[in-house]
């Protein structure tokens, strides 16, 4: 089956941003997009939907107390789920359970994020991704097998920036390995919205605002975005297609 035109992918991200859809809405849309029958009942789907409500509620609580981060917030999580749904859609080697577990990892990958500024100033060598894993105590996770929990945690750790190149290299060395391919999908979905023409500039501005605490100047945003385009890693054929990097 042929992939959608890149414009469909990029317009879906832009439209979702305009609608400001909730995380549960983005999760359900990603499930449908990835080819998982909405009526099908599975423990993985129950976990995903329960966690989506939890993450949305925690985001609302943060917004009402200390305020959400400019970039690492509920809208970013929804962006990543939207992109991942497209990447998973036509991968016939993955089971519905595989795809749903991948979506769970994507949903949780930035849970409890302390912000880009805190990451920049972090000197205790405990990564944001490890802190995220330490916060994952929702009772629904008990429905998953221990092996699934370990895979999910490994994928989250694989989004840590110093690990990303090694993850992409491992996938390129063995693209038929489904776990490595799903890790690559997660890492690529994490940055996809920022690589689109419509969202690249505004999202770069928000990231810099979160990281530096001051409104960035236009030339600084343009330089940062150009650097990001030059250095980012996109390895899977489906992500290359949707992001016009073939």
């Amino acid at each position: 089956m042929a992939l959608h035109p890149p414009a469909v992918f990029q317009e879906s991200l832009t439209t979702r941003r305009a609608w400001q859809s909730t995380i549960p809405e983005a999760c359900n849309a990603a499930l449908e997009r990835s080819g998982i029958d909405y009526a099908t009942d599975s423990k993985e789907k129950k976990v995903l939907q329960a966690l989506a409500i939890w993450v949305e509620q925690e985001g609302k609580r943060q917004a009402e107390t200390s305020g959400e981060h400019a970039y690492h917030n509920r809208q970013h999580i929804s962006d990543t789920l939207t992109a991942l749904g497209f990447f998973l859609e036509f991968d016939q080697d993955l089971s519905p359970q595989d795809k749903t577990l991948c979506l769970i990892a994507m949903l949780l990958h930035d849970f409890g994020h302390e912000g880009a500024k805190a990451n920049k100033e972090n000197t205790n060598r405990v990564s944001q991704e490890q802190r995220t894993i330490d916060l994952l105590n929702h009772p629904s996770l008990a429905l998953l097998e221990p092996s699934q929990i370990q895979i999910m945690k490994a994928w989250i750790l694989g989004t840590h920036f110093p690990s990303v190149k090694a993850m992409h290299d491992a996938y390129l060395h063995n693209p038929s390995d489904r776990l490595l391919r799903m890790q690559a999908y997660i890492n690529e979905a994490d940055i996809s919205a920022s690589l689109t023409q419509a969202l690249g500039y505004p999202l770069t501005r928000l990231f810099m605002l979160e990281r530096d605490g001051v409104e960035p100047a236009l030339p600084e945003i343009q330089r940062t975005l150009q650097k990001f385009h030059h250095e980012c890693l996109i390895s899977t054929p489906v992500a290359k297609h949707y992001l016009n990097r073939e």
Side-chain angles (χ1 to χ4, degrees):
M1 190 177 294
L3 298 174
H4 304 287
V8 172
F9 172 78
Q10 299 194 26
E11 287 170 9
S12 293
L13 286 167
T14 305
T15 302
R16 195 222 60 73
R17 271 259 162 188
W19 286 347
Q20 298 282 290
S21 60
T22 65
I23 290 174
E25 289 170 340
C27 265
N28 288 334
L31 278 169
E32 183 176 1
R33 170 66 67 186
S34 63
I36 300 171
D37 186 352
Y38 188 79
T40 299
D41 197 19
S42 71
K43 64 181 181 181
E44 292 85 6
K45 193 169 115 177
K46 289 179 181 177
V47 172
L48 175 65
Q49 293 176 325
L51 290 172
I53 294 170
W54 179 50
V55 175
E56 177 74 18
Q57 290 174 339
E58 287 298 305
K60 285 183 177 179
R61 182 187 59 78
Q62 183 181 16
E64 293 167 358
T65 54
S66 59
E68 285 189 280
H69 301 302
Y71 178 85
H72 290 100
N73 52 36
R74 285 173 289 165
Q75 292 306 309
H76 168 64
I77 294 171
S78 295
D79 285 342
T80 66
L81 290 166
T82 301
L84 185 57
F86 274 88
F87 296 166
L88 296 172
E89 184 175 8
F90 297 122
D91 195 322
Q92 302 300 320
D93 294 335
L94 302 181
S95 69
Q97 290 75 24
D98 288 334
K99 292 182 178 183
T100 310
L101 189 65
C102 199
L103 288 167
I104 292 172
M106 190 86 266
L107 166 68
L108 297 175
H109 82 287
D110 275 340
F111 181 74
H113 204 290
E114 296 183 344
K117 185 175 183 179
N119 266 4
K120 180 181 177 182
E121 297 172 351
N122 178 25
T123 58
N124 63 10
R125 298 187 178 276
V126 177
S127 71
Q128 173 62 56
E129 293 72 20
Q130 183 59 57
R131 290 195 295 272
T132 291
I133 288 173
D134 293 341
L135 291 171
L136 299 183
N137 57 5
H138 194 271
S140 68
L141 290 166
L143 294 174
L144 298 178
E145 300 295 330
S147 60
Q148 292 177 306
I149 295 289
Q150 289 306 116
I151 290 169
M152 181 192 69
K153 288 181 177 180
W155 283 336
I156 292 173
L157 289 174
T159 66
H160 184 40
F161 182 73
S163 303
V164 168
K165 185 179 186 306
M167 295 295 100
H168 280 274
D169 288 345
Y171 160 74
L172 290 172
H173 182 70
N174 191 6
S176 63
D177 186 302
R178 78 183 209 290
L179 296 181
L180 291 175
R181 190 163 67 253
M182 286 188 280
Q183 176 77 74
Y185 288 157
I186 289 169
N187 287 352
E188 292 165 343
D190 194 12
I191 61 174
S192 285
S194 294
L195 291 173
T196 64
Q197 185 173 359
L199 296 175
Y201 178 89
L203 290 180
T204 301
R205 171 187 162 271
L206 290 174
F207 177 83
M208 295 176 70
L209 180 61
E210 177 183 311
R211 182 192 65 190
D212 302 328
V214 295
E215 184 67 42
L218 174 61
E220 295 173 343
I221 299 172
Q222 292 172 331
R223 282 194 296 270
T224 301
L225 183 57
Q226 289 172 355
K227 185 174 184 287
F228 175 63
H229 272 268
H230 178 71
E231 295 180 351
C232 70
L233 296 170
I234 301 296
S235 303
T236 64
V238 64
K240 286 182 177 181
H241 169 77
Y242 284 134
L243 293 167
N244 291 314
R245 297 177 72 91
E246 294 179 290

